[in-house]
Amino acid sequence: LLRANETTLKNHHYDSIVDQLENYVDEIMNRQYEALSLVASAPRNRCPTASSWPNCAVNFAYMASTSNSLISITQSRGVGFSPFVRENEVSSFETFVYQFYAQQSVPTLGQQYGFKGINARNSSGAIYHMTTPDPRGQNAILVPIVQIAKMEDNLRAYMFNLYSEPIRIANIDYMISCSQERNTDCLAVSDVVHLVQDPNYRPAILLHYPIRLLDANNTIVGLTSGVINWDTILSFSASNHVNGIWAVLRSERDNVEKYYSFHFGDGKASFVGLGDLHDPRFDYSRRTFVVSPFSGSTNYTLSIYIADSFEDEYYTLGPTIACVISVLVVVVTSFIFIAYDALMNRRARESELVIQTRQQFVRFISHEIRTPINTIGLGMKFFAKQIEDLLIDPSLDVLVRLRSMLELVHD
């Protein structure tokens, strides 16, 4: 019964943790949609015509006032915007951007790799100056990050071409095609990426939202992007007391599945490694839900499992101790009962012996004492009769006394 109560308490707590994770992850994604939509309005209003693009930027102070509060609400690493740049526009665009940075009193911005210009990362991880569109994409564009808040945390990302790696390219192509086909703004969620801001690998996602002009053609001239690390999303979604929980993220793109494992300790989720690393013994505790409520190049699901440390908080030695105590109580009670029964049997035998002894004594007294007394009584009666016959003197005194003596003898 005690173990059943512990199991019920554990399951109730586990269900509440999973429900909270599911609700908060979806809420963060919805907040991202609203935040990116709001950020997109700033460059759109600043540069309302197609001729103003791609040479468009927003005052840093205004961008910061708009974006910093949104970053706090959405738990993003950063929120920024990027214009679509054609190959013939690269030179004039780079000149415009560095002049803008100088006007904003950050003349060295976008030169973190030792050169000015749009940069990208090749297959070996080296950074180079990229001036032509990536041929792997469906659109002949470059998508450099012009502005991103928080600036100090994302210096390595400035002027990085988002349209330069397969995962990013696929997500931006999806965003463009979706927005054009549906004639609406589609938020696209990318596959897991390794951010240029992170020296060590921390699984992250990019969320892309189109900047669409309010003209007759609803021209898409750029995008706003949000950056979120998965460990940040999970940590924000869990309570501080969550401990001993595995979260296994599954991404699926082009029928290719990948798994990323996170472990919760003291309410904080930490990335452990690639693959599904949870303990198979706890497969029975699996709870799975769809992560992203939006479409994109990648579909996500999140599976939650318990670990040993979670069970240890609920499964104590209490039931075992109670069981041992119960057995001891039964054993001691049985011993006392047996001892008491033996004592009572002994007392019964002793009582029976006393009764038998008493009966034997009474029989002895009846035979050995009553018989002589009766004999004496009979003799005295005979003697009294003889005396009565011999006495002539009618004096009654002697006779009365004699009768009294005889009565006494009879008694």
Side-chain angles (χ1 to χ4, degrees):
L1 180 60
L2 291 175
R3 182 66 75 195
N5 289 338
E6 288 180 342
T7 301
T8 300
L9 181 61
K10 179 200 72 174
N11 292 339
H12 177 73
H13 185 201
Y14 178 60
D15 290 342
S16 67
I17 290 173
V18 176
D19 290 341
Q20 179 174 328
L21 281 172
E22 183 175 4
N23 292 334
Y24 273 70
V25 168
D26 283 348
E27 182 177 342
I28 289 175
M29 292 298 183
N30 282 296
R31 289 179 183 178
Q32 282 288 330
Y33 180 86
E34 296 172 359
L36 294 179
S37 175
L38 182 60
V39 172
S41 65
R44 181 177 60 230
N45 295 335
R46 176 70 178 80
C47 306
T49 61
S51 60
S52 304
W53 294 81
N55 298 342
C56 181
V58 180
N59 181 276
F60 273 2
Y62 178 79
M63 186 72 173
S65 65
T66 303
S67 302
N68 287 345
S69 60
L70 297 176
I71 290 175
S72 177
I73 294 173
T74 60
Q75 300 298 306
S76 296
R77 285 284 297 276
V79 176
F81 96 91
S82 306
F84 292 168
V85 182
R86 309 292 175 181
E87 184 175 358
N88 63 338
E89 299 170 330
V90 170
S91 179
S92 62
F93 170 77
E94 291 178 342
T95 300
F96 163 78
V97 168
Y98 286 101
Q99 289 177 350
F100 172 74
Y101 289 161
Q103 293 172 2
Q104 298 294 311
S105 302
V106 282
T108 60
L109 198 62
Q111 303 177 52
Q112 62 272 20
Y113 299 109
F115 61 87
K116 291 183 177 182
I118 301 172
N119 62 77
R121 183 171 51 190
N122 61 24
S123 57
S124 62
I127 301 297
Y128 68 100
H129 185 199
M130 187 174 189
T131 58
T132 58
D134 195 309
R136 293 171 292 184
Q138 300 174 8
N139 298 276
I141 56 176
L142 294 90
V143 189
I145 301 174
V146 175
Q147 293 178 258
I148 183 171
K150 308 172 178 178
M151 180 192 299
E152 63 278 5
D153 295 336
N154 297 285
L155 293 175
R156 294 167 59 89
Y158 275 86
M159 293 298 285
F160 178 78
N161 180 27
L162 295 175
Y163 203 71
S164 62
E165 296 178 358
I167 292 176
R168 293 176 168 86
I169 291 173
N171 205 52
I172 293 174
D173 282 343
Y174 178 88
M175 182 205 71
I176 294 173
S177 61
C178 175
S179 299
Q180 290 174 341
E181 292 172 3
R182 302 180 185 179
N183 197 29
T184 186
D185 297 332
C186 295
L187 176 68
V189 181
S190 76
D191 199 351
V192 172
V193 297
H194 179 194
L195 300 177
V196 293
Q197 301 97 303
D198 289 333
N200 299 320
Y201 185 73
R202 290 175 62 200
I205 55 172
L206 302 175
L207 298 98
H208 295 134
Y209 184 88
I211 300 176
R212 185 194 296 269
L213 297 181
L214 302 178
D215 57 10
N217 298 320
N218 289 324
T219 307
I220 300 175
V221 292
L223 59 83
T224 55
S225 56
V227 181
I228 308 179
N229 289 95
W230 276 110
D231 53 6
T232 302
I233 296 176
L234 296 173
S235 297
F236 178 79
S237 302
S239 302
N240 293 332
H241 63 274
V242 174
N243 185 48
I245 296 292
W246 281 96
V248 179
L249 180 70
R250 171 187 170 275
S251 69
E252 187 274 324
R253 181 170 70 93
D254 297 333
N255 296 320
V256 177
E257 296 181 352
K258 298 178 183 178
Y259 294 87
Y260 309 84
S261 294
F262 301 83
H263 186 264
F264 282 92
D266 297 326
K268 182 179 180 181
S270 301
F271 175 63
V272 179
L274 298 174
D276 186 346
L277 304 180
H278 84 281
D279 190 337
R281 291 181 300 145
F282 300 105
D283 282 346
Y284 70 88
S285 67
R286 177 180 179 178
R287 289 277 302 276
T288 301
F289 57 88
V290 176
V291 172
S292 175
F294 308 107
S295 56
S297 61
T298 306
N299 297 316
Y300 288 103
T301 56
L302 194 65
S303 296
I304 311 299
Y305 304 87
I306 63 175
D308 281 322
S309 55
F310 184 83
E311 281 206 334
D312 291 343
E313 294 182 8
Y314 296 93
Y315 288 160
T316 65
L317 293 176
T320 302
I321 294 173
C323 181
V324 171
I325 292 175
S326 300
V327 171
L328 289 176
V329 168
V330 171
V331 171
V332 172
T333 303
S334 299
F335 175 78
I336 294 174
F337 176 79
I338 294 172
Y340 176 78
D341 184 65
L343 180 61
M344 290 298 100
N345 289 335
R346 180 180 176 184
R347 292 290 299 273
R349 289 194 299 271
E350 291 177 351
S351 298
E352 184 179 357
L353 181 60
V354 170
I355 293 172
Q356 290 176 355
T357 303
R358 185 181 299 169
Q359 290 174 345
Q360 290 176 358
F361 175 76
V362 170
R363 287 197 298 269
F364 174 79
I365 292 298
S366 176
H367 178 72
E368 301 296 336
I369 296 180
R370 182 180 297 175
T371 300
I373 290 177
N374 288 335
T375 301
I376 293 172
L378 291 173
M380 292 301 292
K381 287 180 179 180
F382 177 77
F383 181 69
K385 181 66 177 171
Q386 294 295 322
I387 290 175
E388 287 180 359
D389 293 339
L390 293 175
L391 286 177
I392 300 173
D393 187 358
S395 177
L396 297 177
D397 291 340
V398 176
L399 184 58
V400 170
R401 290 181 182 177
L402 181 59
R403 288 178 178 173
S404 297
M405 290 178 64
L406 288 173
E407 291 177 359
L408 180 61
V409 171
H410 284 302
D411 293 337

